[in-house]
Amino acid sequence: MAPPLQQPHFLLANLKTDWAIKPLLQRCQELVKVIDDQPAKELHLIFPWLVESIFGSLDGVIGGWNLRFLQARNNEYNIAMQFLDPSGPMMKLVYKLQAEEYKYDVPVTCLPGPLKASIQEGTIPDCPLFHKLQLPLSGQMSVSLSFNPFEYYMFYFSLSLITQRNHPGGLHVSTSDSAYFTLVDIYLKYFLPTEGNVPLSPFSDIRATVPPPAPRSPSAPIAGYGISSTRLLKRHISHQPSGSVDPAAQEIWRTETLLQMFVEIWLHHYSLEMYQKLQSPQAKEPFSPTEEHVLVVRLLVKHLHTFSNSLKPEPASPSPSAQPQASPLEEFKRVVISRFVQQKLYIFLQHCFGHWPLDASFRAVLETWLSYIQPWRYTSEKSNPSLDSQNKNVPEKWATFVQENLLMYTKLFQGFLNRAVRTDLVNSKNALMVFRVAKVFAQPNLSEMIQKGEQLFLEPEDVLHHRHQRLFLSPAHGGSFLSSRQPAEADAVFKVKSHVYSLEGQDCQYKQMFGTEQRNAVMQLVQLLAQAQQTTKRLSDCSGEAAAKQSFLSWFGVGSSDLNSTYTGGELDETGESGKKTHEHLERALDYLCQIFRLNAGQVCQLIENMAAAKNDVGSKQLPDCIQGQNGLILTDLGRMQIINGLRRFEIEYQGDPELQPIRSYENAFLVRLLFWIASLVNQRFGGHMGALCVRGDFLGRLGQYYFMSDTSAERCSKSPVTRRSLERHPGPRLSLRLFASYRTILAILLLYLLGALFSLSALSSTGLILMATFIHGLFMTVLPEKQKKQ
């Protein structure tokens, strides 16, 4: 006899207790048993707690299983993947509850910012998922959304990507190796298959009773994006009673739900009007996606291209009536990019282009953009590996895609130009990004497609209207035999204009990618690339010379002992092989830009030669362009550009008290501290006498200045910008013994004593000769003041 079923609250309480003390493997084993044995009535009450315990709470307090930080090398990785697999126990629980039509509420306040703001403003999003608003009951203030189990599960799974969690300390997390990233890939391949139909529920005893979500009007489009279409899966996807629905059509609702949830949560954006309002300083919710977020979006874009490109060609049929009806999934592939992704991804990328920091992490955004605008990379056609991909033309069949996504190519390219001219192109990662974009747009036939799209958009309205009147005229009724081409062209014009106006508004001011203004911006980038190329070459040459100067004596510290030696900043990593690679990327990017915009090669070469000649004339030690301000030198915009591109630089040196500088690697720390203590005692005792001696105008005064005073402020100001505060801190006459803490000085003194020993001189005699030589050197430098140098 089977044991009696536990009460729901006891079942939930026991699971919560076990969750806190048992390891993940044991917890999952017990959950599998509960899911198999318990009826849906009992499972209904534990489902919200279980989903929250796995994916974390909506407010980020409960971390759940931390799937984003769970790496493949972790022991719990395989356990979590098997439990959350599309054919695993968790999905079986979802289907089991789906059969009973249970609903779960999610407060609107827990939605991402744009969705929450849109609903609170009274504007319901286009996505049907958010049409299921539940009015607040008595005593409640918040509006909530009612989701079925599958929608509820996917909502939590999607939202866990953008919910802030506490990162486990001390762990290096690779996004592509995380359990979350892998699960996204598995779900996309399972619910959006490139071959065959969406798999039926693996639980055959459950699938037959699973009803689709709430009915929708037969005239409603699949997702409500953009202009409604009369072909959008009305016949197959419009939900009908389960008894009359084809199994394939009944299963596709999961595909639609998953994709809608991913797009709405990950690519959430404000409406055009609300987005413009939020550009003001009063905007309370910043939209700042992480690099991990963008990488997951790129995974979605790549799979959607593969999914859409797997559409089977329509078989030729002698009569339209005999043409077989396409399956629901095939119809879905036709519209998945334009209806679901295009608008939201455009605004998402445009925001990233305008707000992402100017650093190397922008590579994730860049590759997402480049993946979207190259759908031909994700086809099943096998290209000839012997052919260079750069020499392979973009097939003509993609001209329609380019035209219907014109802003993705032109407007975002302009945004990238604005970023590129503000970055340090000497940096290898920034140079690589410019090279990547130039290489993609230089693909043969692509620039012509973009220009054709711009021509269609700029087609005058009156000409389009005149052609529209002649669309259906046959030659017998006064039409031309060439008029058969006009309907296709008019349709293309309409699609391009609809695309631009739907994304930018009816009053947008379109800037041509190949117009005069854009060519001037490209020429500015070309100039910066040429400057960066010269700088990279100079750095490589300098690194080679420095390596050649290394010798055995450098081990003893013999070399420059200047405490204020120049620091070259972040240019040290741009040497050797890295510098050569950067130079190659810059050179090829220049060539590609010349191909894309048909720039005069002679002009570009002359520009590069002029800059190289100018650099040789002025020399690299010339100061950047600056003006003298109240508190010191102030850089101009030209000076900033010169520093960014490595054309000029300040001689960076320490401007504080020389005695208080950090101990250098060529100094003995004990001697530095000891000699500083001795010098401080002497200066404290005889500082007044030193000052009186140095102010004298005779020979003894000049000799005292040589031994007791450092460089003047004017000499320091000629090398590096100096503020008034640093001038006020200039120390007076004093004794400095720090020179004798240098290993080089110690080695020189030992060599002098060794030389004296070779001539049979005692230590006392050698000391007297050294002091006498030092005094004679001081006399000589005092007599010739123009040759004075710092002691």
Side-chain angles (χ1 to χ4, degrees), residues 240-379:
Q240 305 170 15
S242 57
S244 60
V245 179
D246 177 69
Q250 185 176 355
E251 291 299 325
I252 200 175
W253 70 266
R254 293 180 298 163
T255 301
E256 182 182 350
T257 300
L258 176 132
L259 185 55
Q260 285 178 344
M261 199 66 77
F262 283 2
V263 170
E264 291 294 333
I265 300 299
W266 296 342
L267 301 180
H268 63 283
H269 71 284
Y270 297 91
S271 63
L272 185 60
E273 297 78 11
M274 191 173 296
Y275 186 81
Q276 292 171 349
K277 291 179 184 177
L278 289 174
Q279 300 305 307
S280 64
Q282 290 77 22
K284 295 183 179 180
E285 178 154 356
F287 173 42
S288 53
T290 62
E291 185 175 358
E292 177 193 16
H293 182 177
V294 176
L295 290 174
V296 174
V297 170
R298 182 175 183 240
L299 176 65
L300 172 65
V301 169
K302 291 167 64 177
H303 183 80
L304 287 180
H305 274 320
T306 306
F307 175 70
S308 179
N309 292 337
S310 65
L311 178 67
K312 298 177 183 178
E314 295 182 357
S317 179
S319 62
S321 59
Q323 186 171 353
Q325 180 69 33
S327 68
L329 193 63
E330 295 298 304
E331 290 288 343
F332 189 76
K333 292 176 181 179
R334 296 182 191 277
V335 298
V336 64
I337 297 292
S338 59
R339 299 291 175 180
F340 281 84
V341 180
Q342 185 194 71
Q343 182 184 24
K344 293 183 180 294
L345 183 63
Y346 172 73
I347 297 180
F348 177 85
L349 291 176
Q350 191 178 35
H351 180 93
C352 291
F353 273 59
H355 296 79
W356 201 277
L358 292 172
D359 56 21
S361 65
F362 184 73
R363 178 75 184 276
V365 180
L366 186 79
E367 294 299 336
T368 303
W369 172 47
L370 296 181
S371 294
Y372 182 82
I373 64 175
Q374 298 182 91
W376 46 87
R377 291 179 54 193
Y378 307 101
T379 61

Side-chain angles (χ1 to χ4, degrees), residues 434-448:
V434 176
F435 163 73
R436 289 280 295 121
V437 173
K439 181 179 180 181
V440 168
F441 278 84
Q443 294 178 84
N445 211 27
L446 180 57
S447 58
E448 288 78 4

Side-chain angles (χ1 to χ4, degrees), residues 107-399:
V108 170
T109 55
C110 296
L111 295 176
L115 291 172
K116 177 174 62 178
S118 177
I119 293 176
Q120 290 175 345
E121 289 283 335
T123 304
I124 305 300
D126 292 334
C127 179
L129 290 174
F130 302 103
H131 292 176
K132 309 171 183 180
L133 289 175
Q134 298 289 330
L135 297 178
L137 301 175
S138 58
Q140 296 181 353
M141 297 298 294
S142 61
V143 182
S144 60
L145 292 170
S146 179
F147 288 149
N148 64 41
F150 187 81
E151 294 168 345
Y152 188 80
Y153 175 84
M154 287 302 169
F155 173 78
Y156 265 83
F157 177 75
S158 305
L159 197 63
S160 63
L161 175 64
I162 61 177
T163 304
Q164 295 298 325
R165 308 285 184 195
N166 294 327
H167 188 283
L171 290 179
H172 173 71
V173 177
S174 172
T175 300
S176 59
D177 290 337
S178 69
Y180 189 88
F181 190 88
T182 307
L183 273 176
V184 171
D185 189 38
I186 291 174
Y187 286 163
L188 288 173
K189 291 178 179 177
Y190 185 87
F191 293 107
L192 283 79
T194 56
E195 296 182 1
N197 289 320
V198 182
L200 300 178
S201 171
F203 315 106
S204 57
D205 57 329
I206 298 175
R207 187 203 61 78
T209 61
V210 174
R216 213 168 39 205
S217 170
S219 60
I222 183 172
Y225 296 90
I227 304 170
S228 60
S229 171
T230 58
R231 291 189 61 195
L232 294 183
L233 316 189
K234 292 179 186 176
R235 179 166 171 263
H236 293 285
I237 303 181
S238 297
H239 301 307
Q240 305 170 15
S242 57
S244 60
V245 179
D246 177 69
Q250 185 176 355
E251 291 299 325
I252 200 175
W253 70 266
R254 293 180 298 163
T255 301
E256 182 182 350
T257 300
L258 176 132
L259 185 55
Q260 285 178 344
M261 199 66 77
F262 283 2
V263 170
E264 291 294 333
I265 300 299
W266 296 342
L267 301 180
H268 63 283
H269 71 284
Y270 297 91
S271 63
L272 185 60
E273 297 78 11
M274 191 173 296
Y275 186 81
Q276 292 171 349
K277 291 179 184 177
L278 289 174
Q279 300 305 307
S280 64
Q282 290 77 22
K284 295 183 179 180
E285 178 154 356
F287 173 42
S288 53
T290 62
E291 185 175 358
E292 177 193 16
H293 182 177
V294 176
L295 290 174
V296 174
V297 170
R298 182 175 183 240
L299 176 65
L300 172 65
V301 169
K302 291 167 64 177
H303 183 80
L304 287 180
H305 274 320
T306 306
F307 175 70
S308 179
N309 292 337
S310 65
L311 178 67
K312 298 177 183 178
E314 295 182 357
S317 179
S319 62
S321 59
Q323 186 171 353
Q325 180 69 33
S327 68
L329 193 63
E330 295 298 304
E331 290 288 343
F332 189 76
K333 292 176 181 179
R334 296 182 191 277
V335 298
V336 64
I337 297 292
S338 59
R339 299 291 175 180
F340 281 84
V341 180
Q342 185 194 71
Q343 182 184 24
K344 293 183 180 294
L345 183 63
Y346 172 73
I347 297 180
F348 177 85
L349 291 176
Q350 191 178 35
H351 180 93
C352 291
F353 273 59
H355 296 79
W356 201 277
L358 292 172
D359 56 21
S361 65
F362 184 73
R363 178 75 184 276
V365 180
L366 186 79
E367 294 299 336
T368 303
W369 172 47
L370 296 181
S371 294
Y372 182 82
I373 64 175
Q374 298 182 91
W376 46 87
R377 291 179 54 193
Y378 307 101
T379 61
S380 58
E381 301 173 1
K382 302 297 182 181
S383 58
N384 187 354
S386 62
L387 295 176
D388 185 5
S389 60
Q390 192 60 32
N391 297 326
K392 185 179 178 181
N393 288 351
V394 177
E396 282 293 336
K397 68 177 183 178
W398 295 108

Side-chain angles (χ1 to χ4, degrees), residues 603-619:
Q603 283 184 329
V604 175
C605 293
Q606 186 64 36
L607 176 66
I608 298 175
E609 292 175 1
N610 292 342
M611 286 192 305
K615 181 171 294 188
N616 292 333
D617 291 340
V618 300

Side-chain angles (χ1 to χ4, degrees), residues 445-719:
N445 211 27
L446 180 57
S447 58
E448 288 78 4
M449 291 180 180
I450 297 175
Q451 285 180 296
K452 177 62 176 178
E454 290 189 325
Q455 292 172 4
L456 293 174
F457 174 75
L458 298 175
E459 188 79 20
E461 295 291 342
D462 54 345
V463 175
L464 179 62
H465 178 70
H466 174 69
R467 292 182 179 179
H468 181 72
Q469 293 178 337
R470 300 180 58 192
L471 289 184
F472 303 104
L473 290 180
S474 65
H477 292 83
S480 168
F481 284 98
L482 298 177
S483 64
S484 60
R485 297 178 56 187
Q486 293 177 1
E489 183 176 353
D491 183 57
V493 172
F494 175 76
K495 288 182 178 179
V496 173
K497 289 181 178 289
S498 299
H499 157 70
V500 175
Y501 291 144
S502 65
L503 296 182
E504 292 290 329
Q506 293 288 338
D507 55 347
C508 71
Q509 299 294 326
Y510 182 78
K511 295 181 180 179
Q512 296 185 56
M513 180 174 172
F514 297 93
T516 303
E517 181 179 353
Q518 191 70 8
R519 287 180 65 88
N520 292 336
V522 172
M523 285 301 298
Q524 181 185 1
L525 177 60
V526 167
Q527 183 176 359
L528 294 177
L529 288 172
Q531 292 174 353
Q533 196 175 359
Q534 295 293 331
T535 304
T536 305
K537 186 176 184 301
R538 175 174 59 82
L539 291 175
S540 298
D541 295 342
C542 291
S543 65
E545 295 175 1
K549 292 179 180 178
Q550 296 298 321
S551 65
F552 174 76
L553 291 179
S554 64
W555 186 84
F556 296 98
V558 177
S560 175
S561 62
D562 185 8
L563 297 180
N564 289 325
S565 58
T566 301
Y567 170 60
T568 57
E571 299 172 348
L572 295 178
D573 63 338
E574 300 302 329
T575 58
E577 293 299 324
S578 177
K580 293 179 181 178
K581 200 68 177 177
T582 303
H583 188 275
E584 179 185 353
H585 287 155
L586 294 171
E587 184 178 14
R588 296 182 64 183
L590 273 173
D591 295 338
Y592 288 143
L593 287 174
C594 292
Q595 295 176 23
I596 298 168
F597 293 92
R598 298 179 177 84
L599 302 179
N600 190 320
Q603 283 184 329
V604 175
C605 293
Q606 186 64 36
L607 176 66
I608 298 175
E609 292 175 1
N610 292 342
M611 286 192 305
K615 181 171 294 188
N616 292 333
D617 291 340
V618 300
S620 60
K621 293 185 178 180
Q622 186 172 344
L623 292 179
D625 188 69
C626 51
I627 59 176
Q628 184 68 42
Q630 183 179 3
N631 295 323
L633 298 177
I634 301 175
L635 277 174
T636 63
D637 291 339
L638 176 60
R640 293 189 184 93
M641 191 65 67
Q642 290 170 340
I643 292 178
I644 288 176
N645 291 282
L647 300 178
R648 300 181 185 180
R649 65 187 180 196
F650 288 110
E651 295 296 330
I652 302 176
E653 61 182 20
Y654 181 80
Q655 294 184 354
D657 188 348
E659 296 299 307
L660 300 179
Q661 293 186 74
I663 298 175
R664 306 304 176 93
S665 60
Y666 50 81
E667 293 177 321
N668 184 281
F670 173 76
L671 288 179
V672 169
R673 297 185 178 96
L674 176 64
L675 294 176
F676 177 74
W677 177 72
I678 296 174
S680 298
L681 292 179
V682 174
N683 292 330
Q684 185 177 4
R685 180 76 179 271
F686 301 104
H689 298 286
M690 295 179 191
L693 177 64
C694 292
V695 296
R696 294 175 55 172
D698 54 6
F699 177 78
L700 290 178
R702 293 196 301 273
L703 186 62
Q705 292 175 7
Y706 174 76
Y707 282 112
F708 301 130
M709 293 188 68
S710 59
D711 285 350
T712 63
S713 300
E715 290 174 345
R716 293 193 300 160
C717 186
S718 64
K719 296 181 180 179

